[in-house]
Amino acid sequence: MRASPRLALVLSASVMAPAVVAQPRDTWVNVRTGVDYLHRTNAAGPQDIFAARIDLRTPGVGLHASADNARERAVTTPTFARNVGALVAINGDWSDGRTPVGIAVSDGTLWHGHIPDNRLGGRWGFFGCTIGKRCEIGNAPPLDTDATLANPTAAPLRFYEAIGANGVVLISNGAPRTGCYDTARNPRSAIGYSADRNTLWLVVVDGRRTGAAGMTCDETRALMANLGCYEAAMLDGGGSSTLFVDGSVRNTPSDGTPRTVANHFAVTFTATPDARCPVLSGRSCSGTRITACQGGRFVGAGDCAAFGATCEATSTDARCVDGRCPGGRGDATACAPSGQLVTCVEGAYASAACPAGQACGTDATGARCMDARCAAAPNERRCTAGGLLATCTAGVYSEGACAGSNRCIADAIGAVCADPRCATPDARRCDGATHLACVRGALTLTPCTGGAVCDAARGCVAGATSLDAGPAPMDAEPTPTDAEPPLDASARDGGADGGADVPSPDDATRDAMSPPADVVVADASAAPEGAPEGCACSLAGASTRARGAWPMALAMLCVVRARRRRAR
């Protein structure tokens, strides 16, 4: 039977029409200040997604990972959440129900270590946060030795809360990573944060049921990127995937009920901070007592003095410091009187003798073991008795001969290999019409041309006189005083007793005022034009000293003699 033209048109239109892509449907609920809950469904898949978004800048928001106790370890996620008073909680690392695979830190106490996993390029994944709520995701902590993790709150980790992250990092530095332990769609749990680390996401994807297909690892990566995560990691999935928000489990665990898991991660909320918390999120000192709080939640306190220690507050934290640490500082080094090197790191004290051939030395960066020849000055350049240039750099010693005709010379700054024409490392002088400038032993020659003359200090200077030639002679005659100070009436009239009121100089003053032998003092008739009346001072034939150093003294002598003559 032939189809009618109208039916053919309908069929053609249906074939050519683009497929309708299902769009996710989001439902948001504000749970508390800085805490929001998202339920997302999508017919494509289909998918059923549950997420909590936390603004870590909110003062009342705190973080907490399961501790090694019966109330928090090896229990279901809702049981853990209710036991610790959590507002939001999610399941943690892979486990056998009691022991996690990766790292586990709760309130600064490590109760399970980080493990290697060669299948994943070295280390099992982790999610860790400082007491100040700065979080980090990765496969390998900066230092992964047992000694470092014994104190996870120490630098560089400073993890106060941490859980293993299932071995798979989903997103790193904003870029999706590759690899996964399976390729199927399954229930998933993931955790991540924004590029500024201010927004934390806890996400669960349901699966293995009608209306919830679950996701592959790559689909989970795409979901976390869509939510705005710059870093993201997978947690344990399958029947373990559980998200608790504000008193209830929001997803449908694939086992039908929440599964018992080894550890969990929680978000707490404190509307009214505990009165024992001087700092809402951090550790603080009060004398020798140290107090720790998270989001206004009191974590604990203790007296450092009980261990012979003091409490030191830093710009970001506080810690107990061994009383033997130099200056009471938790990060310090010093040389002990015995010559041993004393080292304090994060308040922990240690001392040890330097190896053979080395000695403890100190410079601006602190103390350390260094070549014994550098202990007095760890960063110094000096000339040896044999003319070699010896260099100590951060306590490492080296020496060598100067190249070519250069020679080792030194000043207050240090030694250099210098051109033999440099008397000192930074000498400047003139050699005829050529200026020689040394800069740390390197010589520069500059011929003075075009009428310029050499000035040792300034180089080639137009119209100047070479300083190497000595001071210029002072040829100018002294300028006489045009107006002498007036005499008072008694001086003009001879005074009441007919004498002058100008005091007569004593012998010492007279000697001091006497001119040199080559200065001739004549009588009034020999006074030059403009000289004070009654005084004639001749500099004819006088030496340079007399011309340069005595003009003022001669002028004063003339004035005094003139006043005496008038007073007679």
Side-chain angles (χ1 to χ4, degrees):
M1 178 178 177
R2 283 183 73 180
S4 68
R6 182 176 181 181
L7 178 60
L9 181 61
V10 171
L11 291 173
S12 174
S14 64
V15 170
M16 296 177 61
V20 177
V21 178
Q23 296 297 316
R25 178 181 177 182
D26 290 353
T27 302
W28 286 95
V29 176
N30 176 247
V31 182
R32 298 287 189 282
T33 302
V35 180
D36 297 298
Y37 166 68
L38 167 66
H39 181 207
R40 172 178 291 182
T41 58
N42 194 334
Q47 299 294 350
D48 204 2
I49 301 164
F50 309 84
R53 182 181 64 188
I54 297 94
D55 186 345
L56 294 174
R57 297 168 295 181
T58 305
V61 165
L63 305 175
H64 179 67
S66 296
D68 184 16
N69 61 51
R71 300 177 70 250
E72 303 180 34
R73 178 181 178 181
V75 294
T76 66
T77 300
T79 298
F80 160 76
R82 294 186 179 101
N83 286 344
V84 300
L87 180 63
V88 179
I90 195 170
N91 62 288
D93 195 7
W94 261 7
S95 71
D96 60 4
R98 177 164 183 78
T99 303
V101 174
I103 190 172
V105 179
S106 178
D107 292 345
T109 299
L110 176 81
W111 60 272
H112 194 270
H114 198 54
I115 68 161
D117 187 336
N118 294 328
R119 297 171 302 167
L120 300 169
R123 309 297 286 187
W124 190 256
F126 69 87
F127 172 79
C129 302
T130 68
I131 195 170
K133 299 183 291 187
R134 181 174 178 82
C135 301
E136 181 179 347
I137 285 173
N139 278 110
L143 293 176
D144 50 19
T145 63
D146 291 339
T148 299
L149 288 175
N151 182 13
T153 64
L157 305 180
R158 300 201 182 281
F159 289 164
Y160 207 71
E161 316 290 343
I163 56 175
N166 213 25
V168 177
V169 173
L170 298 173
I171 303 173
S172 179
N173 294 322
R177 297 279 291 272
T178 59
C180 191
Y181 43 81
D182 68 27
T183 57
R185 280 181 163 178
N186 282 298
R188 305 289 181 182
S189 293
I191 195 164
Y193 49 77
S194 58
D196 59 12
R197 305 197 188 206
N198 290 330
T199 303
L200 176 67
W201 284 91
L202 278 61
V203 180
V204 162
V205 178
D206 267 4
R208 301 177 185 171
R209 65 174 175 83
T210 303
M215 287 187 173
T216 65
C217 288
D218 285 341
E219 288 175 326
T220 309
R221 286 186 177 96
L223 170 63
M224 298 303 284
N226 174 263
L227 293 174
C229 291
Y230 186 75
E231 306 266 359
M234 195 84 81
L235 301 176
D236 190 13
S240 299
S241 290
T242 308
L243 183 67
F244 176 97
V245 178
D246 198 20
S248 64
V249 174
R250 296 306 176 110
N251 70 306
T252 302
S254 62
D255 286 354
T257 58
R259 179 185 291 179
T260 295
V261 294
N263 63 349
H264 323 75
F265 197 84
V267 176
T268 62
F269 186 86
T270 305
T272 303
D274 193 297
R276 296 169 291 179
C277 293
V279 177
L280 294 183
S281 291
R283 293 184 290 192
S284 57
C285 293
S286 178
T288 60
R289 188 171 178 80
I290 186 168
T291 300
C293 294
Q294 250 267 2
R297 173 179 63 92
F298 178 78
V299 176
D303 193 348
C304 298
F307 307 97
T310 60
C311 189
E312 179 191 33
T314 68
S315 59
T316 58
D317 202 4
R319 59 204 176 185
C320 291
V321 176
D322 191 295
R324 296 168 292 177
C325 289
R329 302 189 309 274
D331 295 299
T333 56
C335 293
S338 63
Q340 289 194 320
L341 174 64
V342 172
T343 304
C344 286
V345 178
E346 296 289 331
Y349 173 90
S351 65
C354 291
Q358 295 190 352
C360 188
T362 304
D363 63 7
T365 63
R368 60 186 174 279
C369 290
M370 56 187 65
D371 192 295
R373 293 167 290 183
C374 296
N379 294 285
E380 180 188 58
R381 294 164 65 90
R382 62 179 182 270
C383 298
T384 68
L388 300 178
L389 176 62
T391 303
C392 288
T393 304
V396 178
Y397 181 86
S398 63
E399 64 179 33
C402 293
S405 61
N406 287 356
R407 60 194 178 91
C408 187
I409 59 175
D411 59 8
I413 299 175
V416 295
C417 284
D419 188 286
R421 289 165 288 183
C422 296
T424 62
D426 294 306
R428 299 170 69 88
R429 65 184 178 88
C430 293
D431 184 3
T434 301
H435 185 256
L436 289 76
C438 299
V439 179
R440 304 314 299 161
L443 177 67
T444 301
L445 302 176
T446 305
C448 296
T449 59
V453 295
C454 184
D455 183 306
R458 295 178 293 168
C460 295
V461 182
T465 302
S466 174
L467 292 184
D468 279 6
M474 299 177 64
D475 296 327
E477 295 289 343
T479 302
T481 305
D482 292 335
E484 63 179 275
L487 299 174
D488 57 24
S490 62
R492 287 195 302 271
D493 299 337
D497 56 1
D501 66 345
V502 178
S504 175
D506 55 23
D507 291 340
T509 304
R510 186 180 299 109
D511 291 342
M513 295 176 65
S514 299
D518 53 4
V519 178
V520 179
V521 181
D523 59 17
S525 61
E529 183 179 359
E533 182 183 350
C535 180
C537 301
S538 174
L539 293 176
S543 66
T544 300
R545 180 178 68 85
R547 295 183 181 186
W550 277 85
M552 183 60 70
L554 292 174
M556 291 297 297
L557 181 62
C558 289
V559 171
V560 171
R561 289 186 175 179
R563 287 184 177 181
R564 280 184 175 178
R565 188 180 298 277
R566 290 176 181 177
R568 291 191 182 124

